[in-house]
Amino acid sequence: MGAALLFSLVVVWLATRQLVAVAAFTAGLIALGALAWMLRPREAARTADYALPDWSVTVAAIDRGDLAVAITDRAGRLVCANPLYEKWFTAAHAPPRLAVDNASLERLAKAARAGWRDGAGQADLVEAGHQRWTASALRAGRGDDYLVWTFIALTPPDLVGELIPHFEGKLGRALASAGLSLAIVDPDGKLRASSPGFAARATGDAAALLTGKDFASLMLLDESDRISWARDGKRGAPLTLFYLPVADPDAHGAPDYDQTPSLILVADSGAGIGGGGGESSAAVPHLEALLAQLPLGLAMADRDGRLLFANAAFMRAAGQEGQAPPTYPTDLVVQEDKGPISDAVRRFAQGPASAGDIAVRLKGQAEDPVTLSLAGVRGLGEAAVLLGLTDNTEETRLKRQVAQATKMQAVGQLAGGVAHDFNNVLTAILGTCDLMLLRHTPGDSDYDDIQQIRANSNRAASLTRQLLAFSRQQTLRPEVLQLPDVVSDITHMLRRLIGEKLQLTVTHDRDLGPVRADPTQLEQVIVNLCVNARDAMLGKSEHGKLTLATRKITAAQVRDMRNAIMPQVDYTALVVSDTGSGISPENLGKIFEPFFTTKDLGKGTGLGLSTVYGIVKQSGGFIFADSEVGRGTTFTVYLPVHHQSQISAQAEPVEAPSAKAKLQAEWSGGGKILLVEDEDMVRAVAERALTRAGFEVTTASDGDIGLELVSAGGMFDMIVSDVVMPAMDGPSMIREVRKLRPGIPVLFMSGYAEEQLRKELDLDNVEFLPKPFSVQQISDKVGAVLAAAKV
């Protein structure tokens, strides 16, 4: 490098023959070298700052054995995951698209949307077969470009842990004094737990620790297949053993006996078990005392199928709590299941001792089959079969709630789709009526007929709005408000609505939390519930009492309700009670379905309660009905308490009317409009309305044609488009158009809710016009949007 520098100086000297030029050249080279030396570390640091992430470090950091961790990017690709995630879900599946059931997929998708939108999302339950997890998604990264997913396995209930205290308490000591002992044995034959009586008989020491011992090593089997304690030798008294699987009664399907611990009852001959008939009969009272104390539903039957004993838990599970056991177990089931139970009892009563399950339908619960467990027992005198039945009332109730919620969601989607399509038809009818009325004046022969058509169309539009309310697709204007204020505003109107013969009582709790809802729609909820209550009471008598109350519901009270659908948070509840005729049980599950009514023909549309249901659900709340025929009905609406942030709680200043608002009001029309609508009749009405208002309108029948018009150089001041169209829809077209015309104003026409569309579209600077609309409404809306764009 020095030789090159010397050569450069010689060349400069030969070219100039001046020392000044050589000195200047030399100084310039030194300055450039110093500058390069100063910049070199910064460039390296800058490169280090923007180095690509080393995912191997991340994988090492998230390698945990208690939870699965996965990281996905905005394209939904799996960036990295720890070994536990690959074990549970495999690297071929990236959240939220995992190999789980459909309900879990929907919860994971909601968690992903919440994670990208709010920064964090939660899925309380993810199920795949017998495995269950909770999942959470957290947005992370310098540019918020990643979601960090964590999955935590839900551990099943420890049934063995629940039974052990009974072994070591008074029950265990009482059984030991009666010659009975208990033990829990794992599938591999090892003792998991035992009662003090079992330890005393097996080792001579009631305090001996037998956990982990081989159960078979404590027993002795002689040539006659008689079982006795190994400690007593061949002269020991014979024993009788029978077992019951320790399985979760709420688990789906039959238990896996190869993986399930067993509860083993050991009865010796001193208790009369295993000896002659008289001794066996003497043992039965002791066994009944044992079974009566256990929380499991157990009963005993003889070889002919007659019930010898049934504990209280068995009768409660059979739906006959507090009643005496019937003569035969077949008396508890429907007619079709009597034969299979009789055959099963005879089969298990004969031959070697064995166990199994059978699905039966109980009287009064024929729609919900339950599992009846049977086990053959020997040496108990007349007792030959042990029956087990689990009280699944709570499980059945939860299943019905989930099934009802699923059905209502499906019906809501259907109703929303029908309402959206019908809105297109009503838009054309109302627009055509408006255009015809412009050519007729009051007094013309056709004027009144056109007005009648328009009035009926508006009535049909009101019905579609009710359908949209039920399907949770209507546009809401939520506000933070106090529920008692809404009730107070309409109390005077309610008194006139229900009449003077009915008594109206209004009460409020103190310290009610605020809720976030549309006050107009809440008034609609209250009015609909009160009208239904009025009709129910007037149909019963001329006098009745209607009670409106607001209640404070804490998270602890929700937890005590044991409702699997409602999150455990604070609520403000609206309770509407009447003393009317009540609702029959067979109709109670249908009252929120659209078009279902118990009123006389022509006296109700069947949309009142379905509208209430839709408004409450769209507001994030819950509604339940309790009724007793002849005594009245109570509707309870639960709205979650809204907790305002410090920023949103600050009052916004009220501004004076701006120049922008003034220009919108004075807009006189004019401008080039691109109208995109796939429905011919709606497109024709909108085109005529805008042309009449002074706009120059170009039409397109779908998004592809609209995009071609803009790409071909068409200069438009505004685009008016439908949202749902075949081929390219409205939002997709606008995204492509804005690549060519970034600032062009957009007005979407749709029959769906504006709030729902804004969440799904993810587009800025767009306006909405709900269908159906009139000629004047679309003209005014287009003018207002253009005026705002011109300011």
Side-chain angles (χ1 to χ4, degrees):
M1 183 166 179
L5 178 60
L6 181 59
F7 177 75
S8 300
L9 293 175
V10 172
V11 171
V12 173
W13 168 255
L14 293 176
T16 61
R17 299 288 182 173
Q18 294 181 6
L19 291 175
V20 176
V22 174
F25 180 74
T26 303
L29 288 178
I30 294 174
L32 288 174
L35 182 60
W37 180 263
M38 293 173 62
L39 291 177
R40 185 177 62 177
R42 298 181 182 178
E43 201 60 42
R46 187 178 297 113
T47 303
D49 288 343
Y50 291 94
L52 293 175
D54 186 356
W55 291 113
S56 63
V57 176
T58 305
V59 172
I62 64 177
D63 187 5
R64 296 181 56 177
D66 57 340
L67 57 85
V69 183
I71 301 177
T72 59
D73 59 15
R74 282 196 175 271
R77 295 171 298 197
L78 185 65
V79 176
C80 67
N82 67 354
L84 187 57
Y85 176 89
E86 296 181 6
K87 177 183 177 181
W88 285 349
F89 306 107
T90 76
H93 298 89
R97 296 180 295 275
L98 300 178
V100 296
D101 58 31
N102 292 333
S104 299
L105 284 174
E106 183 177 352
R107 298 187 196 103
L108 287 172
K110 289 183 179 179
R113 290 194 295 269
W116 287 121
R117 184 183 65 245
D118 304 329
Q122 181 76 23
D124 295 331
L125 179 60
V126 179
E127 292 183 291
H130 295 287
Q131 293 179 297
R132 307 170 73 192
W133 304 272
T134 61
S136 62
L138 180 66
R139 191 177 63 206
R142 284 192 299 264
D144 288 339
D145 293 331
Y146 300 98
L147 277 186
V148 180
W149 292 85
T150 56
F151 296 85
I152 301 176
L154 295 175
T155 57
D158 185 9
L159 300 181
V160 174
E162 296 178 8
L163 288 174
I164 289 177
H166 294 286
F167 290 5
E168 300 174 349
K170 294 182 178 180
L171 176 61
R173 293 192 296 271
L175 293 175
S177 63
L180 303 171
S181 53
L182 293 169
I184 294 180
V185 181
D186 285 329
D188 60 359
K190 303 295 183 180
L191 275 169
R192 176 86 68 88
S194 61
S195 65
F198 184 94
R201 292 304 314 273
T203 66
D205 181 8
L209 296 177
L210 301 180
T211 303
K213 294 282 187 180
D214 186 38
F215 178 81
S217 67
L218 303 176
M219 300 293 165
L220 180 66
L221 183 66
D222 63 12
E223 297 81 0
S224 302
D225 291 337
R226 293 191 308 170
I227 299 175
S228 59
W229 294 106
R231 175 173 172 267
D232 296 338
K234 294 184 178 180
R235 295 184 178 182
L239 304 174
T240 300
L241 281 68
F242 57 94
Y243 76 97
L244 186 70
V246 184
D248 184 3
D250 296 327
H252 300 289
D256 185 358
Y257 294 104
D258 294 334
Q259 302 293 329
T260 305
S262 300
L263 171 64
I264 296 182
L265 171 68
V266 182
D268 56 27
S269 59
I273 299 177
E279 292 178 347
S280 299
S281 300
V284 171
H286 297 291
L287 186 58
E288 290 181 359
L290 163 68
L291 299 181
Q293 297 297 323
L294 293 177
L296 306 173
L298 299 172
M300 293 185 296
D302 61 14
R303 291 174 176 80
D304 297 326
R306 290 189 296 269
L307 275 181
L308 302 177
F309 166 78
N311 65 5
F314 185 91
M315 296 304 296
R316 180 170 59 252
Q320 299 188 17
E321 184 175 7
Q323 301 183 25
T327 304
Y328 295 93
T330 54
D331 296 336
L332 300 172
V333 301
V334 298
Q335 183 65 36
E336 293 79 5
D337 291 344
K338 292 181 181 293
I341 288 185
S342 298
D343 295 340
V345 170
R346 284 194 295 269
R347 184 170 65 253
F348 285 102
Q350 301 171 1
S354 59
D357 298 315
I358 182 175
V360 298
R361 291 165 294 174
L362 299 172
K363 288 182 178 179
Q365 304 176 24
E367 297 179 357
D368 302 302
V370 297
T371 300
L372 179 67
S373 301
L374 302 96
V377 295
R378 303 295 178 264
L380 293 179
E382 295 182 351
V385 180
L386 181 67
L387 307 175
L389 190 63
T390 303
D391 183 7
N392 60 352
T393 304
E394 184 67 16
E395 180 183 2
T396 301
R397 185 182 67 83
L398 293 177
K399 286 182 178 178
R400 286 177 176 173
Q401 286 183 349
V402 173
Q404 177 69 7
T406 304
K407 180 176 69 173
M408 295 298 286
Q409 182 179 6
V411 174
Q413 291 175 348
L414 174 63
V418 171
H420 176 261
D421 292 340
F422 195 48
N423 271 333
N424 283 331
V425 179
L426 290 176
T427 300
I429 295 175
L430 287 171
T432 304
C433 288
D434 289 342
L435 293 172
M436 291 178 67
L437 286 174
L438 295 175
R439 302 194 302 270
H440 294 77
T441 58
D444 289 353
S445 58
D446 295 332
Y447 185 85
D448 292 339
D449 294 336
I450 298 172
Q451 285 283 28
Q452 187 64 36
I453 295 173
R454 193 174 189 278
N456 288 329
S457 299
N458 284 324
R459 182 183 177 192
S462 176
L463 291 177
T464 60
R465 282 193 293 272
Q466 288 180 300
L467 282 177
L468 288 173
F470 167 73
S471 60
R472 288 168 271 169
Q473 296 175 7
Q474 66 171 345
T475 299
L476 296 182
R477 296 289 183 266
E479 302 175 6
V480 178
L481 49 84
Q482 286 288 345
L483 196 54
D485 295 341
V486 179
V487 175
S488 300
D489 290 342
I490 63 170
T491 299
H492 186 64
M493 181 190 70
L494 291 177
R495 296 188 187 279
R496 297 198 309 268
L497 189 65
I498 66 175
E500 298 179 354
K501 296 181 179 179
L502 301 178
Q503 178 185 355
L504 175 63
T505 303
V506 180
T507 61
H508 301 294
D509 277 358
R510 293 183 177 182
D511 300 326
L512 295 176
V515 299
R516 187 173 184 272
D518 187 329
T520 303
Q521 298 299 331
L522 274 185
E523 291 178 359
Q524 184 70 45
V525 168
I526 298 172
V527 168
N528 286 10
L529 292 177
C530 291
V531 167
N532 269 20
R534 178 200 63 186
D535 295 342
M537 288 186 289
L538 291 179
K540 178 183 177 182
S541 65
E542 293 185 356
H543 300 281
K545 182 179 180 180
L546 174 62
T547 303
L548 271 176
T550 54
R551 297 284 182 263
K552 179 180 180 180
I553 307 297
T554 64
Q557 291 174 307
V558 177
R559 191 179 305 113
D560 295 338
M561 291 165 58
R562 301 181 64 185
N563 191 309
I565 297 178
M566 292 176 59
Q568 296 179 7
V569 297
D570 295 336
Y571 292 89
T572 296
L574 170 69
V575 183
V576 181
S577 303
D578 65 66
T579 57
S581 55
I583 304 172
S584 61
E586 60 269 17
N587 290 332
L588 193 59
K590 306 175 183 178
I591 57 175
F592 295 119
E593 297 178 5
F595 305 112
F596 177 82
T597 180
T598 56
K599 298 179 182 179
D600 296 336
L601 185 63
K603 292 187 177 180
T605 62
L607 289 174
L609 289 179
S610 63
T611 301
V612 169
Y613 177 86
I615 293 173
V616 172
K617 296 301 289 183
Q618 193 174 357
S619 301
F622 302 88
I623 180 170
F624 301 100
D626 298 302
S627 184
E628 185 176 348
V629 177
R631 302 196 64 177
T633 303
T634 298
F635 286 92
T636 306
V637 176
Y638 297 91
L639 296 174
V641 172
H642 178 73
H643 300 285
Q644 285 183 302
S645 64
Q646 186 174 3
I647 297 176
S648 62
Q650 295 176 356
E652 297 182 358
V654 179
E655 299 181 357
S658 62
K660 177 180 176 180
K662 184 177 181 181
L663 183 56
Q664 289 179 3
E666 296 176 354
W667 184 261
S668 59
K672 294 182 179 181
I673 307 297
L674 174 59
L675 175 63
V676 187
E677 170 63 61
D678 61 310
E679 291 285 345
D680 295 338
M681 50 188 177
V682 177
R683 186 173 65 252
V685 168
E687 180 184 7
R688 292 177 61 186
L690 295 176
T691 302
R692 177 184 170 276
F695 298 103
E696 182 180 341
V697 183
T698 302
T699 61
S701 59
D702 57 46
D704 291 325
I705 297 177
L707 180 59
E708 290 177 3
L709 291 173
V710 178
S711 301
M715 299 302 296
F716 301 102
D717 298 316
M718 178 180 175
I719 297 178
V720 180
S721 173
D722 192 11
V723 175
V724 180
M725 293 183 291
M728 179 179 287
D729 58 17
S732 299
M733 177 194 68
I734 295 303
R735 291 188 184 96
E736 296 299 323
V737 167
R738 283 190 167 170
K739 294 178 182 179
L740 305 174
R741 298 279 307 279
I744 188 169
V746 176
L747 174 64
F748 278 126
M749 306 176 294
S750 178
Y752 290 110
E754 176 181 341
E755 182 180 0
Q756 176 188 2
L757 289 175
R758 286 194 182 276
K759 291 180 180 179
E760 296 177 355
L761 296 184
D762 192 22
L763 287 172
D764 297 328
N765 193 23
V766 296
E767 296 293 334
F768 289 88
L769 178 63
K771 294 179 181 178
F773 50 77
S774 65
V775 168
Q776 190 65 37
Q777 285 173 334
I778 187 173
S779 300
D780 293 344
K781 187 67 174 179
V782 169
V785 174
L786 278 176
K790 296 297 182 180
V791 174

